[in-house]
Amino acid sequence: MRKVMALLLACLLLGGCEARHAAPVQAESSEDISPVSSQWWEEVPEEEPSSSELEPSSVPEPPAPEESPLELEEWALILANYDHDIRDYEPELEEVQNGYRMDVRVAETARQMIADAAEQGVSLLVCSAYRPYSSQERNFNNSVNTYLSMGYSQDQAVAATARLIAYPGRSEHQTGLAADIVTPAYQGLDDGYAETAAAKWLLENAADYGFILRYPADKTEITQIDFEPWHYRYVGIDAAQEIMGNGLCLEEFLEQQGMLE
Ligand SMILES: [Zn+2]
């Protein structure tokens, strides 16, 4: 009873309990209290721990961490497309197959995917991987020149080329995260490849390794690149499963994640 009275008095004197919190010097350091006021302030610290203990115990919400969204590897979500130029991007490289190189953070995974496919009787053949800016520029110009020689105008030649070959600086091959993967028995880069066992295996399994079919047939409006059943791109396992599982393209996924600038 005395305790309660003392506390009430303390509150009244200090203009309410909120004011008491606003004067923590007195409330928390009971050893420094002047002898005159000590008889009631000594009681006060008992209140402090109990109210501060309550707050943390009400904070933890066990389901929240488990519901945490995808674990994204941001470096693996770099976007290179008609709208995103990465001409200064230079990844550290490592060989994957036949001299073709990819980003060192991806090379081992790519080799593992190829080995696992082989174990299941599917032969995957890398026919292009990392391409520096200079070779992309050369490829692009060669294609434009071919169209020009066929009678296309400059604009037509560039437009026709851009459907097949990314502008220099805007190719995923410069990221070191993309590979064109065919099979020894079918090495043509055309729609027919989609019917091979290799293409079907990739479509079904690549996401387990963090790779996506980057240019699906039904996303050409967004990617502005024609269907390329051979072009696979590493984005990380969580992102790949989300993208392949929901029939998205990388641009749509990045937009959903608020990562599209
Ligand atoms: Zn490609």
Side-chain angles (χ1 to χ4, degrees):
M1 193 61 184
R2 231 194 231 168
K3 235 185 216 179
V4 175
M5 289 292 284
L7 195 61
L8 276 175
L9 191 56
C11 284
L12 277 173
L13 281 172
L14 289 162
C17 289
E18 301 231 351
R20 184 163 54 84
H21 285 288
V25 178
Q26 289 158 310
E28 291 188 6
S29 54
S30 53
E31 282 157 11
D32 292 334
I33 290 164
S34 70
V36 182
S37 57
S38 68
Q39 36 186 340
W40 8 299
W41 279 112
E42 274 165 12
E43 314 281 359
V44 174
E46 288 173 21
E47 281 279 302
E48 288 295 316
S50 67
S51 65
S52 62
E53 269 164 21
L54 270 178
E55 282 169 36
S57 71
S58 64
V59 169
E61 292 163 20
E66 287 167 48
E67 279 171 25
S68 76
L70 309 168
E71 269 187 42
L72 300 179
E73 299 171 58
E74 254 182 72
W75 58 269
L77 292 168
I78 181 172
L79 181 62
N81 67 9
Y82 65 96
D83 208 20
H84 289 76
D85 194 308
I86 58 156
R87 69 184 57 205
D88 296 326
Y89 188 80
E90 286 180 27
E92 200 181 324
L93 300 166
E94 187 180 307
E95 182 177 342
V96 170
Q97 192 191 58
N98 296 335
Y100 290 110
R101 296 172 301 161
M102 295 185 78
D103 187 305
V104 290
R105 295 165 288 190
V106 173
E108 174 64 34
T109 305
R111 286 194 298 264
Q112 188 63 51
M113 180 169 76
I114 292 167
D116 290 350
E119 222 164 77
Q120 295 168 41
V122 175
S123 185
L124 300 179
L125 181 68
V126 176
C127 65
S128 184
Y130 171 72
R131 287 204 294 264
Y133 178 84
S134 56
S135 75
Q136 191 70 18
E137 190 176 41
R138 195 168 54 241
N139 288 350
F140 194 89
N141 291 340
N142 285 346
S143 170
V144 169
N145 288 333
T146 302
Y147 281 113
L148 288 173
S149 71
M150 289 162 63
Y152 283 58
S153 71
Q154 177 71 24
D155 284 354
Q156 287 169 333
V158 168
T161 295
R163 295 297 299 183
L164 304 170
I165 301 174
Y167 283 98
R170 298 175 186 203
S171 166
E172 283 219 315
H173 285 279
Q174 196 184 328
T175 65
L177 302 174
D180 293 336
I181 306 172
V182 291
T183 193
Y186 196 116
Q187 300 186 33
L189 299 184
D190 53 42
D191 286 3
Y193 171 68
E195 302 307 317
T196 65
K200 288 174 182 169
W201 190 92
L202 283 168
L203 200 57
E204 197 167 314
N205 298 288
D208 294 342
Y209 299 86
F211 283 86
I212 59 167
L213 173 72
R214 177 65 177 93
Y215 304 117
D218 60 347
K219 303 293 177 183
T220 58
E221 289 288 310
I222 300 170
T223 62
Q224 299 199 13
I225 301 275
D226 285 349
F227 177 42
E228 292 193 357
W230 57 86
H231 182 112
Y232 277 78
R233 154 71 195 267
Y234 184 85
V235 292
I237 290 177
D238 275 17
Q241 286 176 341
E242 184 76 6
I243 289 169
M244 295 296 278
N246 294 302
L248 304 173
C249 65
L250 182 57
E251 284 84 354
E252 289 174 311
F253 175 76
L254 292 175
E255 189 163 24
Q256 277 186 8
Q257 296 296 314
M259 296 170 78
L260 192 63
E261 289 161 20

